[in-house]
Amino acid sequence: RGLLELIPRFPFAIKDPLLTFQFPQWKRIAGECRTPMVARAVATVRHPVASAHALLKRGFCTTLRSGLDQWLRYANEIKFLLDAGEEPLVVIYDGQKDRFVAQMEALCGLLSLPFDRERLSVEFVPAGVDRPDHAELQQHSLGHTLQELFDELQSRAVRTG
């Protein structure tokens, strides 16, 4: 709680997918601060194959299978938050800059935050458009389940326009 009370200005955000696993605890702690804070989960979701390749590239896993397993744990946690009524705000990252910028604008609107389209458009450099190979997904024993979970999360993405 002391850490949250040291934050100099609000609103603020922390981008770390691992915090998704601890969101209920952070939400409780935020509500118990001297000046209670409202916490809202924002989850960035990428196609499981694209995510696994990104994890491999960055050395966060050693095989495509282990990257898909990590994606499944993360996506299941988002699903848990949804099922618990937390309504995390889901943003789909697929490397399409225009879509991402539109989602960020909608997200800022939902959270009553200022939005600077020009700055984000200039400063955001996408990693490249995701073109996942669905054959790689089917190499995982839960490939069909991974795709269904992605489709569900994608259907819950922040609405734009």
Side-chain angles (χ1 to χ4, degrees):
R1 184 172 32 194
L3 176 65
L4 287 177
E5 292 174 345
L6 293 175
I7 295 168
R9 60 183 205 132
F10 292 87
F12 77 98
I14 300 171
K15 183 194 175 291
D16 183 347
L18 294 176
L19 289 177
T20 307
F21 294 92
Q22 299 153 344
F23 179 74
Q25 293 86 352
W26 279 106
K27 182 179 178 181
R28 181 183 48 77
I29 290 167
E32 294 172 355
C33 288
R34 281 186 298 251
T35 304
M37 296 176 231
V38 176
R40 188 82 190 262
V42 176
T44 303
V45 178
R46 197 171 187 176
H47 189 276
V49 172
S51 179
H53 278 289
L55 291 168
L56 269 169
K57 183 179 177 179
R58 290 173 180 81
F60 291 117
C61 63
T62 55
T63 65
L64 183 67
R65 165 76 190 233
S66 64
L68 291 170
D69 289 342
Q70 285 185 45
W71 184 92
L72 181 59
R73 285 192 297 275
Y74 174 64
N76 273 330
E77 194 63 28
I78 298 168
K79 180 78 167 95
F80 169 78
L81 292 173
L82 286 163
D83 292 346
E86 289 294 344
E87 299 182 16
L89 299 168
V90 176
V91 175
I92 301 299
Y93 179 78
D94 57 10
Q96 295 182 33
K97 187 173 185 173
D98 291 341
R99 179 180 180 177
F100 186 76
V101 171
Q103 288 181 96
M104 290 297 100
E105 183 173 18
L107 180 66
C108 288
L110 288 168
L111 297 173
S112 300
L113 297 172
F115 178 74
D116 186 338
R117 175 180 288 277
E118 184 176 321
R119 182 173 178 188
L120 181 61
S121 294
V122 169
E123 293 181 8
F124 174 68
V125 179
V129 176
D130 289 344
R131 290 186 175 82
D133 180 349
H134 292 274
E136 288 181 306
L137 187 62
Q138 296 314 314
Q139 293 174 18
H140 193 286
S141 59
L142 297 174
H144 185 72
T145 301
L146 292 167
Q147 185 64 51
E148 285 180 347
L149 185 51
F150 174 73
D151 291 343
E152 179 182 350
L153 294 176
Q154 186 169 262
S155 75
R156 294 173 178 262
V158 171
R159 301 283 177 235
T160 60

